Amino acid sequence: MAAMLIPMVSAAQTDTTLIVNNKKIVINDSLGQTRISIYGTDGQGMTKLKEISYINGQEIEQVYVSSPFFPQRNKYRRHNYRNHIPSFYMGMSMMSGGFMHFNGATGLHVKESKSYEWGLSALNFAFPLNRQRTIGLSVSMQAGFTHHSFESGYALFNNDGQISVDPVEVEGMKKSYISYQYCRLPVIMEWQNKIGGNTAYIGAGLSFEIRGNERSRYKYGKEVVTPTHDINLHTTGINLEILGGYAGIVFYLRSSLTPLLKTGFAPTCHTTSIGWGVVF
């Protein structure tokens, strides 16, 4: 076929292109050299398969098995970046002595084993930041409930604006706690990639929190007592967020950068939470 085509283009100075059986044949005749290039398709682009040159009656053939002419479709592997902030989560939430502390705050008689939080996420957004879609930002809106328990025989009081945890002289106290509700906006920088058929991921960032509907309560017998609805709670806060997981299971660590209660009117304390969640 090449021998038949050479006379047809011997006088031409530009490329001639033919399509035969889904293969592209490009013929170039210039300065006494005739070059025939054959391209095939791999589904996304044309790949050079063979090149034949005729110079002064000599035939030179090159077959391309692996060369820079092959398309680089795997150079930037496409990954479906998605948000892994948990849709539902729950865990232990303690009133800690400081940022990233795991011990109870001094003077608060905290009972960590009975302190918890839970929440839901909605309006989830994901923004990939690289071509591979393995690094990006995840943003969500959360709403939830936090419950901090105190040791038996103690309750939180507001004494003329000053918050303290004091002994309670009652018999049969069942539990004592403070609680509040919150709305939270986490913004997480996340790395994720396919491993073993599912996605593994890890991320860190900040969350901005608005708190409200707080109260202090204790129960004994059939009685429920509310010492105060004003616990000098900071209505806003900023947290460090760390998460990681595989497939739909997420584990998280959160610690507040700002105090939970108003400094000067209450003992200094932050919140530290450890838990797990699921991504729907």
Side-chain angles (χ1 to χ4, degrees):
M1 181 182 66
M4 294 174 60
L5 291 172
I6 291 171
M8 297 171 56
V9 297
S10 59
Q13 296 298 317
T14 59
D15 291 350
T16 299
T17 301
L18 303 174
I19 304 297
V20 179
N21 294 329
N22 293 325
K23 290 183 173 59
K24 183 170 72 171
I25 302 172
V26 179
I27 305 167
N28 177 272
D29 186 18
S30 177
L31 301 177
Q33 176 179 343
T34 300
R35 180 182 295 111
I36 301 174
S37 301
I38 303 174
Y39 296 81
T41 179
D42 64 355
Q44 294 191 8
M46 300 301 292
T47 302
K48 182 178 285 191
L49 303 177
K50 181 186 293 188
E51 183 176 279
I52 304 172
S53 298
Y54 294 91
I55 305 175
N56 298 325
Q58 299 293 319
E59 177 181 327
I60 302 173
E61 179 177 337
Q62 299 183 61
V63 178
Y64 292 87
V65 177
S66 176
S67 78
F69 295 101
F70 281 93
Q72 301 296 316
R73 65 181 184 277
N74 292 323
K75 183 178 181 180
Y76 298 106
R77 185 179 178 183
R78 303 291 283 181
H79 171 79
N80 185 23
Y81 183 87
R82 62 172 299 189
N83 188 319
H84 289 104
I85 296 173
S87 306
F88 170 78
Y89 59 92
M90 62 185 302
M92 182 177 68
S93 181
M94 65 190 79
M95 298 173 71
S96 59
F99 171 65
M100 293 296 285
H101 285 201
F102 295 91
N103 58 302
T106 302
L108 289 182
H109 303 278
V110 179
K111 192 173 185 179
E112 291 92 345
S113 62
K114 296 292 185 180
S115 300
Y116 60 87
E117 69 169 9
W118 61 267
L120 300 168
S121 301
L123 301 176
N124 298 327
F125 298 95
F127 307 96
L129 299 179
N130 63 344
R131 293 183 63 180
Q132 297 94 328
R133 297 189 177 184
T134 56
I135 299 174
L137 285 177
S138 297
V139 183
S140 185
M141 285 290 297
Q142 296 179 330
F145 176 84
T146 301
H147 175 111
H148 295 296
S149 291
F150 301 106
E151 294 176 357
S152 179
Y154 289 87
L156 185 143
F157 294 89
N158 186 331
N159 300 306
D160 297 323
Q162 192 69 33
I163 297 300
S164 61
V165 177
D166 301 323
V168 180
E169 299 296 334
V170 296
E171 294 183 1
M173 178 180 283
K174 294 181 178 179
K175 59 182 177 179
S176 173
Y177 62 91
I178 63 170
S179 62
Y180 56 89
Q181 298 170 3
Y182 63 82
C183 291
R184 186 181 294 140
L185 177 69
V187 181
I188 308 294
M189 176 77 76
E190 187 179 330
W191 172 89
Q192 54 186 250
N193 207 354
K194 288 282 188 181
I195 298 177
N198 283 300
T199 301
Y201 45 89
I202 187 170
L206 298 176
S207 64
F208 306 90
E209 188 169 285
I210 299 176
R211 312 179 185 107
N213 197 27
E214 72 272 19
R215 67 192 67 187
S216 170
R217 280 185 171 171
Y218 64 89
K219 297 182 179 181
Y220 67 97
K222 296 183 179 180
E223 299 295 326
V224 178
V225 179
T226 304
T228 181
H229 285 277
D230 181 8
I231 63 174
N232 277 338
L233 182 75
H234 272 301
T235 55
T236 60
I238 302 175
N239 310 302
L240 171 69
E241 301 265 353
I242 300 174
L243 62 79
Y246 185 73
I249 304 298
V250 188
F251 297 93
Y252 69 87
L253 167 65
R254 180 187 311 106
S255 187
S256 63
L257 296 167
T258 55
L260 177 67
L261 305 179
K262 294 178 181 178
T263 305
F265 299 94
T268 301
C269 69
H270 293 245
T271 59
T272 300
S273 302
I274 302 174
W276 68 280
V278 292
V279 179
F280 298 143

